[in-house]
Amino acid sequence: MPFNVEPNTINKLKIKNILISQPQPAVIEKSPYNEVAQREGVKLTFQPFMRIEGVSLKEFRSQRTEILDYSAVIFTSRTTIDNFFRICEEARVNVPETMKYICITEAVALYLQKYIVYRKRKIFFADGKFDNFMELILKHKTEKFILALAEPHNPEIPQTLEKLGLNFRSLVFAHTVSTDLSGMNIRDYDLLVFYSPNEISSLVSQFGTEDIPMIAVLGENTAKAAVEAGLKIYSKAPAPGVPNIAQAVLMLMDAANKGEELTPIEFSHSHKAENFIKAQEAKPVKRSRAKRKPAEESETEKKGTK
């Protein structure tokens, strides 16, 4: 029987069938969902809602940009790393060892080892938080940046870089397209877990918004996309006490299995780009101080004027 979401609350629901919009992990024991999988009677289905297609060399060249004209590359995902180096190989571009790489997380930075000798390159990474990522980029503001993107993308990063007056060029290295899910009955599941706004778009375009099961999301932008589509979110990560989406799913399962009333969470989008720019503008301007003479000289001068 299809699962129907009530308009405001859900009562006495047992979460047994969970659909996760990611590829199935090679070893579930090493997956964040291992604890979820161990729950008795729980069935996990891993099904990507999107797939990535790298741009062709012809498409890249139509952007009319020479990679060697730039001194640093900004990466926000492993997908853009794969396709950046693929394009470099196809275009016979020998990336110099002086190239800097600015990555949103350590995991993305470590992925560079697939293509370069990590210790010989200048690699920097943030902790995944928007403000910290922007601060990291600002530390290298004299560089000429390539912002490597997959289309469609979140506009916050390029908009912020532009407002900061940095020298950069956004380049598309891949396209994200919806996976064909026509053979799936989405309403057979009790909970859907999404990781990106693009996955929300894929869901809505293929299944509409009526009678959609409960949704758990990773990230503020995914939550924003779900709310704007008219969907209700019942769990979100990261959040206070909820470091990752697997933990958010476990907490929701526990509440549901205890028969607790489940209510959609309130969500208000924080404008990260605007807030960061305002914070930068509010910082006091550092003024250069005149060099003071050493104390010994000052004493000598005093004696000479007596």
Side-chain angles (χ1 to χ4, degrees):
M1 179 181 295
F3 170 76
N4 296 320
V5 176
E6 296 297 328
N8 297 312
T9 62
I10 299 176
N11 299 302
K12 298 180 180 179
L13 167 72
K14 296 286 185 179
I15 297 178
K16 296 298 183 183
N17 293 314
I18 302 174
L19 177 64
I20 302 166
S21 62
Q22 293 286 291
Q24 183 165 338
V27 182
I28 190 65
E29 288 77 14
K30 295 182 180 181
S31 166
Y33 288 99
N34 183 42
E35 189 175 349
V36 179
Q38 290 178 350
R39 295 292 180 96
E40 186 176 353
V42 175
K43 180 182 179 182
L44 300 182
T45 301
F46 293 86
Q47 173 58 64
F49 274 58
M50 309 298 301
R51 70 178 191 276
I52 303 296
E53 294 182 353
V55 300
S56 66
L57 182 58
K58 182 178 179 181
E59 287 177 290
F60 174 77
R61 284 176 170 163
S62 70
Q63 299 178 79
R64 299 183 181 281
T65 299
E66 295 294 334
I67 290 174
L68 296 181
D69 288 343
Y70 294 81
S71 59
V73 188
I74 300 171
F75 287 122
T76 59
S77 71
R78 289 177 290 186
T79 295
T80 49
I81 290 176
D82 283 334
N83 286 285
F84 171 81
F85 285 100
R86 175 184 59 80
I87 287 294
C88 288
E89 182 179 359
E90 292 179 5
R92 298 181 180 179
V93 172
N94 186 17
V95 182
E97 291 192 4
T98 55
M99 183 73 79
K100 289 183 179 180
Y101 302 95
I102 316 295
C103 303
I104 193 167
T105 64
E106 184 179 10
V108 172
L110 290 173
Y111 190 72
L112 284 166
Q113 294 177 103
K114 182 177 178 181
Y115 297 99
I116 61 175
V117 179
Y118 195 89
R119 65 180 182 274
K120 291 185 178 180
R121 303 290 175 138
K122 298 181 179 180
I123 300 172
F124 308 87
F125 58 85
D127 59 2
K129 296 179 181 178
F130 182 84
D131 285 6
N132 293 343
F133 191 37
M134 291 299 105
E135 290 283 4
L136 176 63
I137 295 172
L138 274 177
K139 289 180 180 179
H140 304 275
K141 60 184 178 181
T142 58
E143 304 293 339
K144 290 183 66 178
F145 298 99
I146 288 174
L147 174 58
L149 297 172
E151 192 69 48
H153 61 271
N154 184 346
E156 284 182 320
I157 292 177
Q159 286 175 358
T160 305
L161 296 182
E162 185 173 353
K163 289 179 181 178
L164 291 171
L166 298 182
N167 188 348
F168 80 101
R169 176 70 193 277
S170 296
L171 293 179
V172 175
F173 287 90
H175 298 290
T176 305
V177 296
S178 296
T179 303
D180 182 7
L181 303 173
S182 57
M184 173 182 290
N185 186 352
I186 202 73
R187 295 164 184 86
D188 284 343
Y189 298 92
D190 305 318
L191 177 66
L192 312 178
V193 183
F194 293 105
Y195 283 70
S196 75
N198 293 334
E199 293 169 356
I200 297 293
S201 298
S202 179
L203 168 73
V204 172
S205 65
Q206 298 189 72
F207 300 103
T209 59
E210 295 296 323
D211 297 330
I212 295 297
M214 285 194 301
I215 288 178
V217 299
L218 175 68
E220 193 171 271
N221 291 318
T222 312
K224 178 175 180 285
V227 170
E228 290 179 347
L231 302 172
K232 293 182 174 64
I233 303 169
Y234 284 81
S235 191
K236 174 181 173 291
V242 189
N244 57 61
I245 190 64
Q247 187 65 37
V249 170
L250 282 169
M251 293 176 66
L252 185 62
M253 287 175 60
D254 288 340
N257 294 341
K258 289 176 183 176
E260 295 179 10
E261 182 179 272
L262 305 181
T263 305
I265 63 174
E266 297 293 329
F267 172 77
S268 58
H269 184 59
S270 63
H271 300 282
K272 294 181 289 187
E274 294 178 13
N275 293 340
F276 182 81
I277 295 296
K278 288 179 181 178
Q280 294 299 309
E281 293 173 346
K283 287 183 177 179
V285 178
K286 293 183 180 179
R287 297 180 179 179
S288 59
R289 297 179 179 179
K291 292 184 178 179
R292 295 180 179 179
K293 294 181 179 181
E296 292 182 1
E297 289 186 14
S298 297
E299 292 297 325
T300 303
E301 287 178 355
K302 288 180 181 179
K303 292 178 180 178
T305 56
K306 289 182 179 179

